[in-house]
Amino acid sequence: AQSVTQLDSQVPVFEEAPVELRCNYSSSVSVYLFWYVQYPNQGLQLLLKYLSGSTLVKGINGFEAEFNKSQTSFHLRKPSVHISDTAEYFCAVSALYGGSQGNLIFGKGTKLSVKP
Amino acid sequence: DAGVIQSPRHEVTEMGQEVTLRCKPISGHNSLFWYRQTMMRGLELLIYFNNNVPIDDSGMPEDRFSAKMPNASFSTLKIQPSEPRDSAVYFCASRPGQGRTEAFFGQGTRLTVV
């Protein structure tokens, strides 16, 4: 089985400051990794994904994430945030193999609040 | 494409009543997910279908919940009987491939059981 831990439930930050949202996962098989964003009263949208290859992946809206296999982490970063980045961010994993191959398990989310 | 379509958007029902939530995935997508989102538990995977077959239903809370996917273009999540603790936002998502590809989410159904 897979699980995802997002260590911070809320992250307040000032506009134009850098931000890092932390994500750790647990799985007995190899996984694909994703970050999604949810704006109020909407569904989730994909920010970026790691499938293989370079451990640093870039996504939309200036976000990037780094896969660290030894630490089983996939932290999301942005060097300078905007007010419009205020939203909830979800880390997710999908198993490559096994009985639940292809499932998509989410963490509990991190609410990013960008203040002027 | 109109995206993943869920209906109704809002549902208010009395405890003990049957509730049916509906989902139309994006045409051509062969994976479908049902999630429940609450403040306490976050986004929980309830069930995952691939090619209309349930692959993982370990997240279905109890026998009161059931999900079906009779064909590639329609799925339902039924709660019978409903209870106040079932109040949540229920999301459906679909995906064109298995694992590597992005899942697309509907707008959700906000269920309130009074």
Side-chain angles (χ1 to χ4, degrees), chain A residues 29-100:
Chain A
V29 300
S30 295
V31 295
Y32 297 126
L33 294 154
F34 304 83
W35 275 99
Y36 283 79
V37 60
Q38 184 181 31
Y39 298 102
N41 299 315
Q42 294 188 26
L44 280 70
Q45 306 169 32
L46 183 72
L47 269 182
L48 49 78
K49 60 185 176 184
Y50 173 78
L51 304 180
S52 63
S54 173
T55 57
L56 183 65
V57 292
K58 295 187 184 298
I60 62 171
N61 301 340
F63 284 92
E64 63 181 32
E66 186 155 21
F67 169 56
N68 187 318
K69 187 174 183 179
S70 62
Q71 297 186 2
T72 59
S73 68
F74 190 53
H75 301 331
L76 181 71
R77 303 186 183 101
K78 186 169 183 178
S80 175
V81 294
H82 302 289
I83 298 285
S84 58
D85 292 323
T86 294
E88 190 159 17
Y89 293 80
F90 292 88
C91 182
V93 299
S94 183
L96 271 69
Y97 311 108
S100 296

Side-chain angles (χ1 to χ4, degrees), chain B residues 91-109:
Chain B
F91 286 101
C92 176
S94 71
R95 184 176 66 191
Q98 194 174 29
R100 294 180 61 89
T101 51
E102 171 186 357
F104 294 81
F105 280 74
Q107 296 289 302
T109 294

